[in-house]
Amino acid sequence: MGFHTHYAVSGRQGRVLVVDDESSIRKPVKLTLTKAGYEVVEAQDGEQAIKVLNSDDNPLMVDTILCDIQMPKINGIDAIAYFRTQYPTVPVVVMTGYPDVDLAVTLMKQGVRDYLVKPVSKEKLLTAISEAVDNHVILAGQFVA
Amino acid sequence: MAEKLLQPPDMIEKILSSLPGAILIINQDRQVEYANPLAEQHFGSEGARLVGSLVDNVLPLTESRWNLLMGEVKAFTAEAGKRQPDGEFEVQKRVYQYRLFPVNGRDSEEQQTGIVIWEITEQKQLQDRLIQAEKLASLGSLVSGMAHEINNPVHGILGMAEIIVEEKDPERIKEYATDIVGFAKHVATVVSDMALYIRPATHDREVEIDLGERLGEALKMVRRNPRFGHVEVVTEFQPVPRLRARRTEIDQVFVNLISNAVQAMDGKGRLTLATRHQGNTITAQVSDTGCGIPKALLNKIFDPFFTTKDPGKGTGLGLSIAYNIVGKYGGTIRVESEEGRGATFTIQFQAGNH
């Protein structure tokens, strides 16, 4: 399988995959991003996120993945490693409850765009997502060209 | 020379008066027949001698505890052997340990019971401080779990509140506000669980506790640790009689055992928590499928400061404290393990330990 070139869908701000096992996180994030014009797809853990992206006949195109770390089944660290190899152009933003500097450095080295520690304000979230989506649009443009 | 030697009755009296422990001899009606001077000093009151009083009025032990102890003493065949003290009690902020023993008079049919009591207030205070120090030392891993458990709902609170600020539909505002109430309550629960765990055991009274329930609560605490990973949890809780103990102490034992099990499995494996009740014995068990304990180390793991963990990862006090706490309530703790094949810690108490 080659690189997926997930470009922003025209007419919208972009599509964001929100991966978090807690509905107390997914609900406000979805509401905030939807209000700001993004389309939001949700997954409860790493395994579901990979399934969502990987459905064979109709692979889902997303512009940014917002991912928690501590989750059941496939956790954020394993899921991010997978996203980075299978979908290297899709920016990943981590949003976690653990302020862990070592982990943040490791993940940034793996190409994670941003490392947000909960609680994340609306402004901070929208800035991080908008930067990531813009970056993806630029990258996707390069690949299409 | 010969004149200076004490005659046997005097000598016995002198020994009993000088003993560093208090001695009481009681008859079958539980009346005090003899009290040495130290017993009078600690437990007597001015104007009333101990001899002749009911022992129930002298030592603060419950009726059921007395019955249990007297039964045990009857069955006890005075063979010299290592026997754990029968228990502890507190009188006027001083802590005492005691042990009962049968006294068989040569010419009397009636069996008497001796009680030897010694003060352990200072050891007790040291032990309590050590227990608290270990609890604080092991707090590091629990705190990072707490960060997760608190930051998640706090994010929910912040997020929903920011959305409410811009929301005009009253129905939606109501819905989001209800979410906030739920998230805030969750934060409160996490904080109060942690505060209860950290509370020094000395502030805690002995209460009736359910070992299955405490295992479940300890699991909740350890589960917050990010290193819990993908550990599968199996619980086999049979109803067991309640145990009289300080809740924080039993929690500390279970949190220690479950934390060790999780560390031994390195985020993958099966953790089994079980309680059973057979005859008079209550059993609580924590098993893991982790790296196990090498045979050569099995008899060292309950020693204070013994640890195989890297510096800074363990105090080496967890299991030794678990051992002390369990022993304090008349229980036993043992381990079965093989290197590479996991470990099972079994704790047993006698029902009606009070």
Side-chain angles (χ1 to χ4, degrees):
Chain A
M1 186 186 338
F3 289 166
H4 292 254
T5 53
H6 292 179
Y7 47 85
V9 184
S10 60
R12 278 195 301 264
Q13 294 277 8
R15 185 184 283 150
V16 181
L17 172 61
V18 177
V19 194
D20 200 303
D21 59 326
E22 298 270 347
S23 61
S24 65
I25 301 298
R26 293 198 310 271
K27 186 172 180 180
V29 167
K30 185 179 180 174
L31 283 165
T32 303
L33 294 182
T34 312
K35 255 194 163 156
Y38 295 96
E39 184 188 337
V40 173
V41 186
E42 294 176 67
Q44 284 178 23
D45 53 60
E47 188 180 275
Q48 212 192 358
I50 290 167
K51 265 189 201 154
V52 164
L53 290 172
N54 252 355
S55 51
D56 276 340
D57 40 341
N58 185 22
L60 182 80
M61 292 183 275
V62 298
D63 296 291
T64 288
I65 301 169
L66 180 70
C67 192
D68 185 22
I69 294 294
Q70 177 67 17
M71 291 180 293
K73 293 181 184 169
I74 296 177
N75 69 24
I77 295 166
D78 295 341
I80 289 166
Y82 179 88
F83 300 148
R84 294 306 301 154
T85 44
Q86 296 299 313
Y87 307 98
T89 64
V90 180
V92 175
V93 174
V94 167
M95 190 165 83
T96 171
Y98 298 108
D100 183 337
V101 179
D102 292 343
L103 182 62
V105 171
T106 311
L107 290 172
M108 296 301 245
K109 278 186 189 157
Q110 283 174 19
V112 162
R113 265 202 74 81
D114 218 335
Y115 186 93
L116 308 174
V117 177
K118 297 167 190 169
V120 181
S121 70
K122 174 182 148 191
E123 199 189 336
K124 216 171 177 182
L125 177 68
L126 289 177
T127 309
I129 295 296
S130 129
E131 278 176 11
V133 169
D134 289 352
N135 178 266
H136 180 235
V137 173
I138 295 162
L139 270 179
Q142 285 170 353
F143 271 91
V144 169
Chain B
M1 215 34 203
E3 290 85 351
K4 285 188 182 168
L5 285 174
L6 292 165
Q7 292 304 301
D10 292 342
M11 189 170 74
I12 290 166
E13 187 56 41
K14 190 167 181 181
I15 292 171
L16 287 172
S17 312
S18 321
L19 267 179
I23 306 270
L24 293 172
I25 306 292
I26 58 173
N27 63 22
Q28 280 178 336
D29 299 325
R30 299 220 290 255
Q31 266 178 330
V32 177
E33 293 202 338
Y34 172 80
N36 73 347
L38 203 63
E40 288 284 359
Q41 190 188 318
H42 281 284
F43 309 109
S45 52
E46 274 178 49
R49 283 183 54 82
L50 287 179
V51 173
S53 3
L54 259 183
V55 72
D56 309 48
N57 300 332
V58 179
L59 306 181
L61 299 184
T62 58
E63 176 76 20
S64 56
R65 184 81 186 135
W66 275 120
N67 290 337
L68 187 80
L69 285 169
M70 299 296 266
E72 277 176 15
V73 170
K74 260 185 204 154
F76 178 59
T77 51
E79 69 197 36
K82 273 196 208 165
R83 214 158 63 97
Q84 290 293 319
D86 292 327
E88 292 174 15
F89 60 81
E90 221 177 287
V91 174
Q92 290 170 348
K93 303 222 166 175
R94 285 164 183 268
V95 188
Y96 298 92
Q97 216 163 40
Y98 63 90
R99 179 134 138 212
L100 270 59
F101 57 95
V103 179
N104 297 309
R106 236 173 292 161
D107 44 5
S108 152
E109 291 268 303
E110 194 190 326
Q111 195 189 37
Q112 292 164 312
T113 303
I115 309 169
V116 55
I117 307 160
W118 57 102
E119 194 184 338
I120 53 158
T121 312
E122 270 184 39
Q123 287 110 295
K124 199 74 199 137
Q125 284 168 348
L126 270 175
Q127 198 185 37
D128 284 342
R129 268 183 243 149
L130 189 65
I131 288 177
Q132 184 63 8
E134 192 277 336
K135 202 154 57 171
L136 292 175
S138 66
L139 190 64
S141 62
L142 294 174
V143 164
S144 66
M146 189 172 155
H148 179 258
E149 199 83 350
I150 288 181
N151 285 345
N152 265 340
V154 167
H155 180 96
I157 293 170
L158 177 67
M160 298 316 278
E162 283 178 330
I163 292 160
I164 287 177
V165 171
E166 291 174 8
E167 183 60 61
K168 293 194 174 64
D169 180 351
E171 277 308 304
R172 284 202 179 146
I173 290 176
K174 204 171 161 186
E175 179 197 328
Y176 302 157
T178 310
D179 288 337
I180 290 179
V181 172
F183 301 152
K185 279 186 177 161
H186 185 71
V187 176
T189 310
V190 174
V191 173
S192 94
D193 281 359
M194 195 60 75
L196 270 180
Y197 176 70
I198 275 312
R199 187 182 141 99
T202 41
H203 296 184
D204 223 10
R205 281 184 313 114
E206 285 188 5
V207 289
E208 308 275 316
I209 59 171
D210 179 329
L211 292 184
E213 184 190 294
R214 291 339 296 169
L215 271 172
E217 287 300 313
L219 172 69
K220 258 172 47 188
M221 196 86 77
V222 180
R223 217 175 201 157
R224 291 179 183 140
N225 191 322
R227 287 176 192 85
F228 199 85
H230 301 179
V231 168
E232 176 202 350
V233 180
V234 179
T235 53
E236 295 162 359
F237 293 151
Q238 283 178 13
V240 291
R242 286 170 175 265
L243 179 82
R244 190 160 182 87
R246 283 172 170 170
R247 201 186 51 76
T248 47
E249 289 186 324
I250 299 300
D251 284 2
Q252 189 171 3
V253 171
F254 288 158
V255 166
N256 279 340
L257 292 183
I258 298 174
S259 298
N260 282 348
V262 169
Q263 275 186 4
M265 289 187 282
D266 201 16
K268 288 184 184 76
R270 194 172 59 247
L271 170 74
T272 309
L273 306 178
T275 55
R276 280 191 302 279
H277 178 212
Q278 209 170 21
N280 203 29
T281 306
I282 314 170
T283 304
Q285 218 165 38
V286 176
S287 312
D288 66 67
T289 55
C291 60
I293 303 160
K295 216 173 174 180
L297 303 183
L298 272 177
N299 58 356
K300 293 191 183 141
I301 59 168
F302 293 108
D303 293 350
F305 303 109
F306 177 79
T307 182
T308 55
K309 295 173 192 168
D310 292 335
K313 294 273 162 73
T315 57
L317 287 176
L319 284 178
S320 110
I321 279 170
Y323 184 89
N324 280 334
I325 293 175
V326 170
K328 182 176 148 181
Y329 296 109
T332 58
I333 177 167
R334 62 170 203 275
V335 58
E336 286 159 69
S337 178
E338 259 183 71
E339 201 167 358
R341 296 187 151 202
T344 298
F345 284 83
T346 306
I347 293 178
Q348 291 189 314
F349 294 105
Q350 294 305 302
N353 68 328
H354 44 90

